[in-house]
Structures are given as structure tokens and as C-alpha cells.
Amino acid sequence: MTIDSDFIAGFEVPLHRSLAEPILLGGAPRNVAILNGTLAAVVGLGLQLWIPGLVLWLVGHSLAVWGARLDPQFLQVFARHIKHRPLLDV
């Protein structure tokens, strides 16, 4: 019986890849993609401003994809950042 230094018997658990990766729609976080699509649909369909609605969706989705490439949890980080009080402001 040999003891492998990397693994201890009984303490090895397989981890599925979907538990470690963020949920993205088209490269953007799911909640941002849904909110952005809904807002663009309201502008495009509800107000019948087709071009501004399309531009709003394109710009919003591009910014969300860019942010998700830098950090997939950028929304949680930004929300926590907003909650903190400024340190050096008078």
C-alpha cells in the first residue's frame, strides 16, 4: 500500500466545471444581459425608437462583455465598492 502525497483517501471530490464558471449570456453576466435586453426592447418596441434601442443594446452588451472579460464578477465587486464609505474624502 503506497500513500500518494497529493491525495488522501476519502477526501477526493470531483468538481463539475459548471460549478466554478460564471453564468454568461453571450459573454455578459446573465442578469445584465436580461436587464439590457429588456431596456432596449422597451425603447425599441415600446417607444418605437428602433435605432436608439438597437444602439442602446449594442453599447450596453459590449460594455458588459468587456467587464466580464476583465472580471466575471465585476457587478458584485462594483456593488461592494459602492457600499464602502470613501476613506480620504473630507
Side-chain angles (χ1 to χ4, degrees), residues 15-25 27-30 68 71-74 76:
L15 181 64
H16 198 272
R17 186 173 151 188
S18 65
L19 293 174
E21 290 185 358
I23 300 173
L24 303 175
L25 285 177
R30 185 178 67 147
D71 182 11
Q73 296 178 346
F74 75 95
Q76 292 87 350

Side-chain angles (χ1 to χ4, degrees), residues 1-43:
M1 182 172 153
T2 62
I3 298 175
D4 192 6
S5 63
D6 294 336
F7 299 108
I8 299 173
F11 291 97
E12 185 178 325
V13 178
L15 181 64
H16 198 272
R17 186 173 151 188
S18 65
L19 293 174
E21 290 185 358
I23 300 173
L24 303 175
L25 285 177
R30 185 178 67 147
N31 53 358
V32 175
I34 291 171
L35 180 67
N36 186 34
T38 303
L39 185 63
V42 165
V43 171

